[in-house]
Amino acid sequence: MQDPFCPWNAGRYRLRAGGDAVTCERTRAGADLRLTSTELGAAYLGGTTLASLAAAGRVEELRPGAVAAASLAFRGEREPFHPSGAAFPAF
């Protein structure tokens, strides 16, 4: 992952989820995807999928099938929602 805003976050990370446990740890293993913190944040917040970001050229798949698997893993049970009905809160 690349992070131009916080370069100390750049590197490779292994994300694992199973049951109620989720882990994120640095690794030297080969990467399955190449993306920046921007794409990771967008997928994490649920406004888009890694698959749609890959289709737009924002995520690079380095292992066949990795985009589909990661995109599914980041999907929540419901779409993002804000109680005001607005896309973003008005501060």
Side-chain angles (χ1 to χ4, degrees):
M1 178 184 73
Q2 300 168 349
D3 189 341
F5 187 73
C6 299
W8 54 87
N9 289 330
R12 294 184 186 143
Y13 292 85
R14 176 175 287 127
L15 302 175
R16 291 186 184 169
D20 292 336
V22 177
T23 62
C24 175
E25 59 190 16
R26 286 191 179 268
T27 183
R28 292 180 184 235
D32 293 342
L33 301 172
R34 181 175 292 129
L35 65 157
T36 71
S37 56
T38 301
E39 291 79 37
L40 182 61
Y44 177 74
L45 292 173
T48 189
T49 65
L50 289 173
S52 63
L53 291 168
R58 301 290 306 257
V59 174
E60 183 181 356
E61 184 174 64
L62 303 175
R63 181 186 56 79
V67 166
S71 192
L72 180 62
F74 274 87
R75 293 298 297 179
E77 293 181 15
R78 60 185 180 159
E79 295 297 318
F81 169 76
H82 188 272
S84 73
F88 296 98
F91 293 105

